[in-house]
Amino acid sequence: MAVNWGGVAGIVVFYLLILLVGLWASRKSRGYKDQEQTMLAGRSIGLFVGIFTMTATWVGGGYINGTAEKVFKPTKNSGLVWTQAVWGYATSLALGGLFFAKTMRSKGYITMLDPFQLKYGSRMGGLLFIPALTGDVFWTAAILNALGSTVSVILDLDMTLSVIVSACIAVCYTLLGGLYSVAYTDIIQLICIFFGMWLCVPFAMTNEVVEPIGSTASEWLGTIESHQAGLWVDSALMLIFGGIPWQAYFQRVLSCKTPGKAQIMSFVAAFGCIVMGVPSVLIGAVGASTNWNATTLDLEKTDPYRRSSIILPLVIQYLTPPVVSFIGLGAVSAAVMSSTDSSVLSASSMFTHNVYKLVFRPRASKRELAWVMRASTVGAGVIATVLGLSISSVYKLFVFCSDFVYVVLFPQLLCVIYFSKCNTYGSLLAYIVALVLRFGGGDHVLGIPALIKYPYYDEEEEVQLFPYKTLAMLSSLVTILVVSYSLDYLFKKGTIPKRYDFFHCFVNLPHAKLSQEEHSNHEANFDLKRCEPVVPSNLGGVCADEEVTYKD
């Protein structure tokens, strides 16, 4: 395989462009005095920039490479009918805007985990950070994996170096400028992706070695067998509802100037995801309709899973003219950057604010928090890079990142926003139930065997055909509501003595007064008079100015 020097030049040019824009945008954050402003760009993101950065966050390397891979992949559970990420994530953005964006922005939270820590306590919020971190790390890994696939096609070299360099560039400008750098580079990246991908499609479809995709529909449409219906539904619901509880999404919602604009931004970004996914679908279909023996590439000698994951860059390089290939491969590299920076910023923001500050160091100085955020940004990038180099399938990584978010976080977010009587007891038990039912079903990506064989388990393929992820999510949701509302009734009726309220969810205890700085930091966003948890030092919340009484 010869080196595509035009593609190399394209990637170098796009990398330099993105890096320069990121460094330029970082100047806007120099006046910020603390990390909260850096995380949310001073809550000054307008509608235009917001729409671009929201859409670019979802439309990354994993999105475009993974979609083409799933349409092309000549194996079971593949084809267009199994390519659910395009419409699944678009639906999640629309639902997020409809039911969550306005509420979260109106309350002035700093991260997605704030409502959990305010209601359940800082340590319970720390536990919920784990699935949120898992989602961000696997998302970034999928993106970097996609980049490695692209560069390996262009250079015919090991992809390790290219992945590391790309991760370093994204981490670099994220460290310097926070959300401002991420948002402004997203504008450039999304424009590059849109024009680059759509430019490649007509050239690839009209190449002489490609049959009309309409005549080869049986090769790329795919089928859903009757016994696979549960698996298909489980995956679809996971992408739709598992696409909502993401810090990367809420970071943009919370950075908007107004709640109304946060909603509009979500709706427009949902439409943008559909538009940006279409060229990847077409390229996957083109890959399945190509007589690869008529090209200079012997695709049959390539490992089946390997050739599936790199089908998008293969089509761009071998089925389009050199100039178009230059632009298209550069667009793929831009797509990688557009989500890598968002994910590492998301993970570092939650760790710094919700774990380090509220759990371990409530009185940490602004300087200390700034260094913690920098270190956690680098740490998130390193972990994601290692995973991205270790797992072969882009689509598996891309879908897996929504897995634990769906099972664990979605029911928790729904309850903390819409059910006022939910408490720490219900949240903790629901967390355990979700993990047991989900991990018990096993996982091929992590190499975990199935300890619980749900109905219709396929012994030969070792696949759960029952929608067990949705079962785990619903079980978690029911657990939160039943446990929380039952204990609320029993404690307030006096059936259970108040001395057994270990997490102080129903009994207010004397609480040490906040320092003036802590009080001023939280007073702006939360009403202390409603006896909401302020800076809880235990698993439950307490009211700062009440004696021992039952909460209303």
Side-chain angles (χ1 to χ4, degrees):
M1 189 184 298
V3 175
N4 180 356
W5 291 109
V8 173
I11 287 184
V12 171
V13 169
F14 279 101
Y15 273 23
L16 290 175
L17 176 63
I18 290 167
L19 181 60
L20 290 174
V21 172
L23 296 176
W24 169 80
S26 68
R27 297 184 304 171
K28 290 180 172 289
S29 63
R30 290 179 184 173
Y32 292 160
K33 298 180 180 180
D34 56 49
Q35 293 311 111
E36 293 176 9
Q37 290 178 307
T38 302
M39 293 174 192
L40 301 177
R43 299 194 193 271
S44 61
I45 297 295
L47 191 58
F48 177 79
V49 175
I51 289 171
F52 271 87
T53 186
M54 178 74 81
T55 307
T57 298
W58 263 247
V59 183
Y63 186 89
I64 63 175
N65 280 57
T67 298
E69 172 191 339
K70 196 66 175 177
V71 173
F72 166 80
K73 199 171 186 179
T75 59
K76 293 181 179 179
N77 303 344
S78 63
L80 182 61
V81 295
W82 287 92
T83 309
Q84 302 164 316
V86 174
W87 58 267
Y89 280 125
T91 305
S92 74
L93 282 170
L95 292 176
L98 191 61
F99 295 106
F100 296 96
K102 192 171 184 178
T103 301
M104 293 286 283
R105 179 61 185 89
S106 297
K107 292 184 179 294
Y109 296 130
I110 296 169
T111 73
M112 178 187 71
L113 296 181
D114 280 353
F116 298 112
Q117 290 190 306
L118 287 164
K119 195 170 187 67
Y120 304 144
S122 58
R123 290 184 177 86
M124 188 64 225
L127 282 177
L128 292 170
F129 167 72
I130 297 173
L133 174 65
T134 301
D136 278 325
V137 166
F138 273 89
W139 181 279
T140 311
I143 299 160
L144 293 173
N145 185 293
L147 172 76
S149 299
T150 303
V151 174
S152 67
V153 169
I154 299 170
L155 299 179
D156 192 22
L157 297 173
D158 182 80
M159 68 181 188
T160 303
L161 181 61
S162 62
V163 169
I164 293 174
V165 170
S166 302
C168 288
I169 292 174
V171 168
C172 176
Y173 66 73
T174 303
L175 282 172
L176 293 173
L179 187 58
Y180 251 128
S181 286
V182 171
Y184 277 89
T185 54
D186 280 348
I187 296 175
I188 302 299
Q189 290 154 356
L190 195 63
I191 292 173
C192 293
I193 297 167
F194 180 83
F195 286 105
M197 296 296 293
W198 278 108
L199 178 64
C200 292
V201 168
F203 287 98
M205 292 182 70
T206 56
N207 191 290
E208 59 183 10
V209 301
V210 179
E211 297 181 39
I213 61 174
S215 65
T216 60
S218 59
E219 298 290 328
W220 53 268
L221 277 178
T223 58
I224 304 174
E225 304 294 337
S226 57
H227 67 280
Q228 297 175 313
L231 184 63
W232 190 93
V233 170
D234 201 25
S235 179
L237 292 176
M238 181 186 72
L239 289 169
I240 292 171
F241 296 106
I244 296 174
W246 286 81
Q247 167 63 11
Y249 167 68
F250 284 111
Q251 194 151 26
R252 280 140 188 81
V253 166
L254 298 174
S255 68
C256 263
K257 293 180 179 179
T258 66
K261 287 183 178 180
Q263 280 192 308
I264 296 173
M265 183 175 70
S266 300
F267 297 144
V268 178
F271 175 75
C273 281
I274 296 290
V275 173
M276 301 296 288
V278 172
S280 291
V281 170
L282 295 175
I283 286 175
V286 166
S289 307
T290 300
N291 178 15
W292 288 100
N293 292 328
T295 68
T296 58
L297 174 68
D298 189 353
L299 194 65
E300 296 302 320
K301 291 185 178 180
T302 309
D303 176 75
Y305 290 97
R306 173 68 174 154
R307 70 186 182 218
S308 297
S309 64
I310 62 176
I311 192 61
L312 185 139
L314 285 177
V315 168
I316 294 175
Q317 176 164 355
Y318 288 93
L319 303 181
T320 64
V323 175
V324 176
S325 175
F326 169 92
I327 298 173
L329 292 171
V332 174
S333 66
V336 171
M337 291 295 188
S338 70
S339 294
T340 302
D341 50 17
S342 300
S343 297
V344 296
L345 179 63
S346 168
S348 62
S349 296
M350 287 188 293
F351 176 79
T352 303
H353 178 71
N354 298 102
V355 178
Y356 187 83
K357 180 180 179 181
L358 294 183
V359 177
F360 298 111
R361 292 275 294 169
R363 300 180 185 278
S365 66
K366 293 177 182 178
R367 181 180 178 83
E368 181 180 345
L369 293 174
W371 280 106
V372 170
M373 188 167 180
R374 294 184 185 115
S376 56
T377 298
V378 174
V382 170
I383 295 171
T385 301
V386 172
L387 287 173
L389 292 171
S390 304
I391 301 175
S392 60
S393 172
V394 176
Y395 195 82
K396 283 183 180 179
L397 280 169
F398 183 53
V399 171
F400 182 77
C401 63
S402 289
D403 199 322
F404 297 126
V405 173
Y406 171 59
V407 172
V408 179
L409 278 185
F410 176 71
Q412 299 273 0
L413 180 66
L414 183 66
C415 288
V416 79
I417 297 297
Y418 285 103
F419 297 92
S420 60
K421 292 186 179 181
C422 289
N423 54 56
T424 311
Y425 299 100
S427 177
L428 181 59
L429 288 175
Y431 187 96
I432 295 170
V433 167
L435 289 180
V436 169
L437 294 179
R438 171 60 188 88
F439 276 113
D443 191 271
H444 288 292
V445 176
L446 297 180
I448 301 174
L451 302 177
I452 303 174
K453 295 182 179 179
Y454 292 95
Y456 313 114
Y457 180 76
D458 188 332
E459 295 283 356
E460 183 178 347
E461 297 288 336
E462 297 183 342
V463 174
Q464 301 280 4
L465 298 176
F466 185 79
Y468 73 106
K469 297 173 186 176
T470 299
L471 173 65
M473 185 276 290
L474 292 175
S475 300
S476 177
L477 179 62
V478 170
T479 300
I480 298 176
L481 296 175
V482 170
V483 173
S484 296
Y485 277 71
S486 297
L487 289 179
D488 182 87
Y489 176 81
L490 294 173
F491 269 110
K492 289 181 178 178
K493 283 290 184 180
T495 306
I496 300 179
K498 60 187 179 183
R499 65 178 177 274
Y500 293 118
D501 182 15
F502 303 111
F503 294 157
H504 309 141
C505 294
F506 309 102
V507 179
N508 290 320
L509 299 178
H511 184 64
K513 294 295 182 181
L514 299 172
S515 70
Q516 185 63 36
E517 180 181 357
E518 290 171 328
H519 183 83
S520 61
N521 284 345
H522 288 79
E523 189 179 47
N525 293 327
F526 308 108
D527 185 2
L528 304 181
K529 295 182 179 179
R530 294 185 302 164
C531 294
E532 293 286 349
V534 183
V535 187
S537 57
N538 48 34
L539 278 173
V542 294
C543 182
D545 55 0
E546 296 272 346
E547 296 299 323
V548 180
T549 57
Y550 282 103
K551 289 183 178 178
D552 293 329

